[in-house]
């Protein structure tokens, strides 16, 4: 029987390259970014040592210390203490250190060593330090850390990976605490550990030091698994032994650690005597985060991204168009007349093809997001937006999840775990789905095309940019309202580390593109396919007794037609007929289903081309000859899709993250209600006063 795999935890400060190193060691594809808090979940991968031994790597959330203030930091601390249910305490820890910020990173290294865990230090970004004219002597640093192995590396270039695997292959080294805060502190640690041992607490010394050095834990101001009665038992020990000190015990421990860090750095860092010059990143930041120039560049980057989505994507979209068209023609010619042919051609090929065609535009969006993250610009975008976020009571840390929501609201909502303030986190969760995600993109493209049939790419880019801006402003508006309703506190200061600019990791960017593309296709092959079949069935049955009944009448007599007639009075003030209302109802499961539903309703599946769908919608008329998809109906529909909450997966994630049914229900109600009245206002005002 084989022995279980050794478990190694990866820990490190945000932006130290920990996730990049995790990918390099395991080959597991995972999102990589340069802004704090990108790793918000436990991530596990497998690797083989140089001797072929199987090792399980655990990528813990980035944290600056083990004095946890947010959910992801609590996860890191609890795993290292062995307190996280369902996760074994690691056998060793691989501490990833940003060599260009050695002193700050060493604080976490000392804390991990204090937990009596075997530690290996991966000294990452040594190239960035050398650009400053400095270097770190790994042997001297290892000696200063009590023999802890120190391996220089450049994770983004996969330099030093073999050496790290070699260090992980050897028996891990267990160092000892490197600092001393005084005899009274030592007595407190010893007596506290004895109490914990008597109470049966595992890893008693590690728990004792964590409790004593974390005032918030003793004050019960954040959650942890330590019994409160145990804290009550420890408090007299702490207060009694440290009664003569002017400083709180936790401050003395912090000071002792930093004093030791200063000594370690002085003995390990070489060079740096020459006057410091502005780095390449510093010179770029003088422009990119300038109060005026920074905003102009940020807007230019966003416009370029949306313009590329319309221009660069047109060629591959034509290829997909042609592919589905050929497939539809082949299926139509191969199958005999009947329901099966109708289902395959109009239901499946038409429904799924109407969504898959937008894959190139979605990939272009993810490509830009990946490059911005990987190059270091995303953190600057958050810094720039902090000035705007503070106006609504939030800070730039809330903007990072909101920015992620441009791709998908789900990772954005999960990314709110990095926000320490519970009220700020709730507000960010509630407004995150207002940021236009990629699922809205197919709907936007179709409706913009129908609304402006003769517009050029620049005009359509402006409209698309306007829709994204409208969603963002909506998120800020509701954040301002919720912040004042839920919390009277001012926004907390936003601290963000601006990583150095670097060439994007192309391999990781394209891995991310591949992952996102597969996720989109899987969604099209499952959810969209299933809903397309249901929509086809609802629009086909029951069939009229007379097989020669015109399609329009047969559609009205179908289950979809009967239901659509019921809801028609509700959507009529928005300028919609029952067909649009039915497509909207179906798209509450997933927004992009609107395209599938409207394509099946107007029976353009055989051609399955974007232009054919646009033509069918543009030619659709009311009985009195008025166009169904008039300019103001399309404008109202676009506004509706900007604000409405139409995603079952998002609903489920909000329920999980808030541990309540109340907030996801509230989110659906407030977003959809606002979307309804906003769309009605656009249609009624636009059609009455502007024709």
């Amino acid at each position: 029987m084989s022995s279980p795999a050794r478990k190694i935890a990866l820990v490190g400060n945000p932006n130290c390259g920990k996730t990049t190193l995790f990918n390099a060691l395991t080959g597991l594809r995972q999102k990589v970014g340069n802004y704090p808090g990108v790793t918000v979940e436990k991530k596990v991968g497998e690797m083989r040592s140089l001797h072929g031994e199987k090792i399980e790597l655990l990528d813990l959330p980035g944290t600056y210390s083990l004095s946890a203030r947010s959910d992801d930091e609590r996860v890191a601390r609890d795993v290292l203490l062995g307190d996280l249910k369902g996760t074994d305490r690691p056998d060793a820890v691989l501490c990833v250190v940003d060599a260009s910020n050695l002193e700050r990173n060493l604080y976490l290294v000392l804390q991990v060593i204090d937990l009596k865990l075997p530690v290996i230090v991966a000294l990452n970004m040594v190239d960035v330090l050398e650009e400053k004219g400095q270097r770190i002597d790994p042997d001297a640093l290892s000696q200063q850390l009590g023999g802890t192995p120190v391996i220089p590396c450049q994770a983004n270039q996969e330099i030093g990976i073999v050496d790290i695997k070699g260090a992980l292959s050897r028996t891990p080294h267990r160092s000892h605490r490197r600092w001393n805060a005084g005899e009274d502190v030592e007595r407190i640690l010893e007596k506290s550990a004895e109490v914990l041992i008597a109470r049966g607490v595992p890893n008693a010394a590690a728990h004792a030091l964590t409790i004593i050095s974390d005032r918030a834990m003793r004050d019960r101001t954040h959650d942890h698994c330590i019994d409160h009665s145990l804290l009550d038992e420890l408090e007299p020990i702490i207060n009694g032994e440290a009664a003569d000190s002017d400083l709180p015990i936790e401050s003395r421990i912090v000071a002792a650690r930093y004093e030791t860090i200063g000594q370690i750095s002085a003995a390990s860092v070489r060079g740096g005597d020459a006057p410091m010059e502005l780095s390449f990143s510093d010179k770029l930041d003088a422009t990119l985060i300038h109060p005026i120039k920074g905003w102009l560049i940020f807007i230019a980057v966003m416009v370029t991204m949306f313009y590329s989505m319309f221009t660069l994507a047109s060629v591959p979209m034509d290829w997909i168009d042609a592919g589905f068209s050929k497939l539809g023609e082949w299926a139509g010619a191969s199958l005999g007349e009947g329901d099966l042919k109708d289902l395959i051609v109009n239901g499946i090929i038409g429904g799924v093809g109407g969504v898959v065609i937008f894959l190139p535009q979605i990939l272009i969006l993810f490509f830009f997001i990946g490059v911005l993250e990987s190059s270091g610009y995303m953190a600057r975008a958050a810094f720039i937006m902090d000035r705007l976020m503070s106006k609504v009571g939030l800070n730039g840390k809330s903007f990072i999840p909101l920015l992620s929501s441009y791709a998908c609201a789900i990772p954005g909502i999960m990314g709110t775990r990095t926000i320490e303030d519970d009220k700020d986190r709730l507000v960010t969760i509630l407004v995150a789905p207002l940021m236009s995600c990629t699922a809205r993109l197919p709907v936007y493209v179709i409706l913009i095309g129908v609304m402006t049939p003769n517009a050029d790419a620049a005009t359509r880019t402006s409209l698309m940019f306007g829709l994204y801006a409208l969603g963002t402003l909506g998120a800020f508006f509701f954040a301002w309202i919720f912040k004042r309703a839920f919390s009277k506190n001012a926004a907390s200061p936003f601290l963000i580390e601006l990583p150095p600019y670097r060439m994007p990791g192309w391999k990781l960017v394209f891995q991310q593109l591949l992952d996102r593309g597969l996720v989109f296709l899987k969604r099209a092959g499952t959810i969209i396919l299933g809903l397309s079949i249901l929509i086809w069935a609802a629009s086909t049955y029951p069939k009229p007794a007379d097989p020669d009944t015109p399609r329009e009448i047969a559609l009205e007599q179908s289950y979809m037609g009967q239901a659509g007639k019921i809801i028609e009075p509700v959507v009529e003030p928005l300028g919609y007929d029952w067909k649009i209302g039915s497509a909207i109802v179906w798209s509450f499961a997933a927004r992009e289903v609107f395209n599938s539903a409207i394509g099946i309703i107007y029976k353009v599946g055989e051609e399955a081309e974007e232009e054919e769908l646009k033509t069918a919608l543009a030619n659709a008329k009311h009985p009195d000859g008025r166009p169904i998809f008039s300019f103001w109906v399309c404008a109202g529909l676009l506004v509706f899709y900007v604000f409405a909450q139409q995603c079952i997966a998002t609903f489920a994630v909000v329920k999980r993250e808030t541990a309540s049914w109340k907030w996801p229900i509230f989110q659906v109600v407030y977003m959809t209600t606002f979307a309804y009245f906003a769309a009605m206002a656009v249609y009624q005002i636009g059609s009455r006063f502007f024709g």
Side-chain angles (χ1 to χ4, degrees):
M1 184 177 177
S2 60
S3 57
R6 275 197 297 138
K7 294 178 174 57
I8 309 289
L10 265 74
V11 302
N13 290 183
N15 294 323
C16 69
K18 176 173 60 63
T19 305
T20 306
L21 180 59
F22 176 73
N23 285 336
L25 289 171
T26 64
L28 186 69
R29 292 187 288 270
Q30 186 182 358
K31 185 179 180 182
V32 179
N34 280 330
Y35 53 84
V38 68
T39 308
V40 295
E41 282 193 317
K42 180 177 74 171
K43 303 286 175 58
V44 181
E46 288 184 0
M47 59 165 285
R48 294 282 176 179
S49 73
L50 297 183
H51 308 304
E53 178 196 10
K54 184 178 175 182
I55 295 175
E56 184 178 288
L57 280 181
L58 186 63
D59 184 16
L60 293 179
T63 179
Y64 291 104
S65 82
L66 298 183
S67 298
R69 297 294 180 272
S70 62
D71 287 347
D72 55 339
E73 292 171 343
R74 278 191 277 276
V75 166
R77 180 200 64 195
D78 291 346
V79 168
L80 296 177
L81 285 170
D83 291 342
L84 192 67
K85 290 182 179 179
T87 304
D88 296 333
R89 197 184 193 211
D91 299 303
V93 179
L94 179 60
C95 283
V96 186
V97 168
D98 175 3
S100 63
N101 291 291
L102 181 64
E103 293 196 12
R104 192 198 63 208
N105 282 246
L106 280 179
Y107 191 86
L108 180 61
V109 174
L110 291 190
Q111 283 190 304
V112 177
I113 290 176
D114 291 348
L115 299 181
K116 300 184 179 299
L117 282 164
V119 173
I120 298 167
V121 172
L123 196 60
N124 194 25
M125 301 186 193
V126 290
D127 55 324
V128 177
L129 181 66
E130 289 171 356
E131 288 175 2
K132 298 179 179 178
Q134 293 180 308
R135 71 177 185 86
I136 296 173
D137 183 340
D139 294 332
L141 180 57
S142 174
Q143 184 179 4
Q144 290 293 318
L145 293 174
T148 298
V150 176
I151 315 297
C153 66
Q154 292 176 235
N156 62 327
Q157 301 294 326
E158 299 194 4
I159 297 174
I161 302 302
V162 174
D163 294 333
I164 292 175
K165 287 186 176 181
L168 294 174
S169 302
R170 293 186 282 274
T171 303
H173 176 84
R174 194 187 304 271
S175 185
H176 301 286
R177 182 152 52 88
R178 312 304 300 167
W179 51 269
N180 188 313
E183 294 182 1
D184 54 341
V185 174
E186 295 299 320
R187 287 195 297 273
I188 291 171
L189 290 172
E190 185 177 342
K191 290 182 178 179
S192 299
E194 290 173 356
V195 171
L196 295 179
I197 291 172
R199 296 282 292 263
V201 176
N203 310 312
H207 277 96
L209 178 54
T210 302
I211 295 169
I212 291 167
S213 58
D214 190 345
R215 179 78 247 179
M217 179 180 278
R218 301 206 304 278
D219 288 343
R220 293 84 156 166
T221 54
H222 59 75
D223 295 334
H224 52 75
C225 62
I226 301 298
D227 186 346
H228 285 186
S229 67
L230 182 55
L231 298 176
D232 294 337
E233 194 171 347
L234 293 179
E235 204 62 39
I237 298 174
I238 298 170
N239 294 334
E241 291 289 348
D244 296 334
S245 175
D246 294 331
L247 286 175
I249 186 171
E250 56 273 7
S251 299
R252 293 174 60 191
I253 292 175
V254 170
R257 282 185 175 131
Y258 273 114
E259 183 180 355
T260 303
I261 289 170
Q263 296 167 358
I264 293 173
S265 297
S268 308
V269 179
R270 307 286 185 259
D273 297 330
M276 290 287 291
E277 295 183 359
L278 288 178
S279 66
F280 175 71
S281 295
D282 293 333
K283 293 174 183 174
L284 271 183
D285 280 340
T287 301
L288 295 183
I289 60 175
H290 186 274
I292 298 174
K293 290 184 255 182
W295 266 105
L296 294 177
I297 293 172
F298 175 72
I299 293 172
V301 169
M302 294 295 110
V303 170
T304 301
M305 181 171 73
F306 293 123
Y307 187 77
S308 302
M309 287 162 55
F310 274 105
T311 54
L312 299 181
S314 59
V315 174
M317 288 178 74
D318 287 342
W319 295 341
I320 298 174
D321 257 357
F324 274 97
S325 180
K326 292 290 183 187
L327 183 61
E329 291 173 7
W330 175 81
S334 303
L335 298 170
E337 292 298 327
D339 284 355
L340 180 60
K341 174 184 174 180
D342 197 36
L343 168 63
I344 294 177
V345 175
N346 294 312
I348 296 177
I349 297 177
V352 176
V355 174
V356 171
I357 192 174
F358 298 97
L359 176 63
Q361 290 181 318
I362 290 171
L363 290 181
I364 288 174
L365 177 61
F366 278 115
F367 173 77
F368 272 90
I369 291 175
V371 170
L372 295 179
E373 285 180 354
S374 188
S375 64
Y377 182 76
M378 196 67 88
R380 273 78 181 177
F383 178 81
I384 291 171
M385 290 301 297
D386 178 59
R387 298 163 189 158
L388 184 59
M389 297 294 291
S390 63
K391 305 294 183 186
V392 299
L394 299 177
N395 64 34
K397 205 160 190 175
S398 293
F399 182 68
I400 293 171
L402 296 183
L403 205 60
S404 300
S405 298
Y406 278 136
C408 178
I410 293 172
I413 290 169
M414 293 169 66
T416 61
R417 295 174 186 176
T418 61
I419 301 172
E420 294 88 350
D421 187 285
D422 291 340
K423 299 296 184 186
D424 285 358
R425 182 176 180 234
L426 175 61
V427 171
T428 308
I429 288 174
L430 290 177
V431 303
L434 288 166
M435 310 297 279
S436 286
C437 63
T438 52
R440 289 177 169 101
L441 191 57
V443 184
Y444 288 173
V445 172
I446 283 294
L447 292 176
I448 288 175
V450 176
M451 188 170 71
T452 58
N454 301 316
D456 55 18
T459 303
R460 293 181 179 181
T461 298
S462 301
L463 287 171
M464 182 70 79
F465 183 77
L467 293 173
Y468 276 73
L470 182 63
T472 305
L473 291 175
F476 289 175
F477 171 70
F478 281 105
W480 181 79
I481 292 176
F482 295 151
K483 180 69 179 176
R484 277 148 186 79
F486 301 156
S487 173
K488 304 300 181 188
N489 298 330
S492 55
F494 178 47
L495 300 176
I496 187 171
E497 178 187 352
L498 298 180
Y501 292 102
R502 54 178 59 235
M503 285 296 292
W506 297 114
K507 179 180 177 182
L508 294 173
V509 169
F510 285 106
Q511 279 183 340
Q512 183 177 330
L513 274 187
L514 179 62
D515 284 347
R516 294 295 183 179
L518 291 175
V519 167
F520 178 78
L521 291 176
K522 181 180 178 183
R523 184 180 170 92
T526 53
I527 297 175
I528 306 299
L529 174 61
L531 287 172
S532 295
I533 294 173
L534 288 176
I535 293 168
W536 173 85
S539 64
T540 303
Y541 300 104
K543 288 195 167 188
D546 182 0
D548 296 326
T549 302
R551 166 163 170 74
E552 191 68 19
I553 296 176
L555 188 62
E556 287 189 24
Q557 293 176 352
S558 68
Y559 293 124
M560 178 184 286
Q562 296 173 39
K565 290 291 183 181
I566 293 174
I567 65 171
E568 192 169 27
V570 178
V571 300
E572 206 168 31
L574 285 69
Y576 309 159
D577 66 353
W578 68 266
K579 296 176 185 174
I580 299 177
S582 297
I584 289 176
V585 170
W586 282 103
S587 65
F588 269 90
R591 295 178 178 90
E592 60 269 46
V593 169
F594 176 83
N595 285 24
S596 304
I598 211 73
I600 292 171
I601 290 172
Y602 283 94
K603 223 171 178 71
V604 293
E606 195 157 356
E607 292 82 7
E609 294 185 6
E610 178 192 349
E611 291 304 321
E612 296 295 335
L613 179 56
K614 289 177 183 175
T615 302
L617 299 187
N619 293 333
K621 306 287 184 185
H622 288 288
D624 60 3
R626 289 180 296 117
I628 293 177
F629 287 87
S630 67
F631 181 91
W632 290 111
V633 166
C634 291
L637 268 171
L638 286 168
V639 169
F640 183 86
Y641 274 89
V642 166
F643 293 113
Q645 213 299 45
Q646 298 165 289
C647 180
I648 288 178
T650 299
F651 183 91
V653 169
V654 173
K655 191 270 175 186
R656 187 184 71 188
E657 294 297 313
T658 60
S660 166
W661 286 104
K662 178 175 71 174
W663 295 117
I665 292 173
F666 171 76
Q667 187 177 59
V668 170
V669 170
Y670 100 79
M671 286 181 63
T672 306
T673 303
F674 184 81
Y676 178 87
F677 286 105
M680 183 168 67
V682 167
Y683 172 72
Q684 294 290 350
I685 295 174
S687 59
R688 286 171 187 267
F689 296 102
F690 301 101

